[in-house]
Amino acid sequence: MATTPDCKTWQEGSRFELPRGMSVSTTPPVTLPDGGAEFTFVYIVPRGERARFLSRDYNVTAPKGPVLHKAELVTLYQRTTNSRPEIVDSIPKVPDMFVASAAGEETLWRVRVRVKDKLPERFDVVAPAFEIALKEYPMRTFTYRYFPERKAFGLCT
C-alpha cells in the first residue's frame, strides 16, 4: 500500500477488490492507550459465493519484513445488507470460510482484531489469503504508521 518510503500521507480507508465481486476494506485503527491498536476489516461476499481462508492469522509485520505480532480476534459479525447484524463475541478463531447468505444480494462480514502490545512507528498488517473458486489469492498488505499530530495510528501511502 505504501507508495513512498516515508509513507507520510494519512488515508481514511482502503478497499481491495477480489475476484467474483468480493472485496475487503479497512479504515484507520483505534489506537489503544498502551500503544497497541484494534483493526477492523469488512469483507463483502455476493450471493452464491464463498471464500476459504488459507490461514486465520492477521499478522503485523515490519515493512516487508518478519512477523512482529499476531492479532487476536475480538469480534466477528455477519449480516446481509438488508438485515441486522448477528454478533458473535466469543469465538476462538476466524472461521474456515465466508459463505454468502441467500437472504440478500451481499453478505457483509466485519472482523475486528487487536494487538495489545506496543506497535512500532510504522508497520504492515497482512490479512489471511483466500481461496476463491479453487484458486489462491494473496491478500493486500495494509500499511500503517503513527501520526503524532493526530496521536493515532493510521493507514498511510
Side-chain angles (χ1 to χ4, degrees):
M1 206 176 97
T3 56
T4 62
D6 50 4
C7 204
K8 285 188 177 182
T9 307
W10 176 277
Q11 188 172 330
E12 284 300 323
S14 181
R15 183 179 170 113
F16 182 60
E17 298 294 333
L18 292 156
R20 303 172 82 98
M22 295 181 209
S23 67
V24 59
S25 60
T26 191
T27 55
V30 174
T31 303
L32 302 175
D34 292 337
E38 288 187 356
F39 304 87
T40 300
F41 296 90
V42 177
Y43 297 86
I44 301 291
V45 181
R47 181 185 297 170
E49 296 296 338
R50 67 182 183 166
R52 183 175 72 85
F53 282 104
L54 296 177
S55 82
R56 290 178 189 85
D57 295 331
Y58 286 79
N59 292 321
V60 174
T61 67
K64 298 182 182 177
V67 174
L68 303 172
H69 305 282
K70 290 188 183 292
E72 66 179 282
L73 181 64
V74 178
T75 59
L76 167 70
Y77 78 70
Q78 66 115 119
R79 67 179 178 95
T80 59
T81 52
N82 61 347
S83 67
R84 292 178 37 146
E86 298 173 20
I87 295 178
V88 178
D89 59 4
S90 60
I91 62 173
K93 62 183 180 181
V94 173
D96 293 337
M97 68 175 54
F98 288 154
V99 178
S101 169
E105 289 301 312
E106 296 177 323
T107 301
L108 176 144
W109 295 82
R110 183 177 178 266
V111 177
R112 189 166 53 118
V113 297
R114 174 188 304 136
V115 174
K116 292 179 186 175
D117 299 322
K118 184 170 174 46
L119 292 165
E121 292 291 312
R122 182 171 168 198
F123 57 90
D124 294 333
V125 176
V126 182
F130 273 154
E131 178 186 272
I132 301 170
L134 303 177
K135 186 173 178 187
E136 292 183 11
Y137 292 92
M139 193 55 65
R140 177 182 193 168
T141 297
F142 296 95
T143 305
Y144 298 86
R145 84 182 227 352
Y146 188 76
F147 288 85
E149 67 277 9
R150 295 178 184 242
K151 295 183 173 88
F153 289 108
L155 290 159
C156 66
T157 55

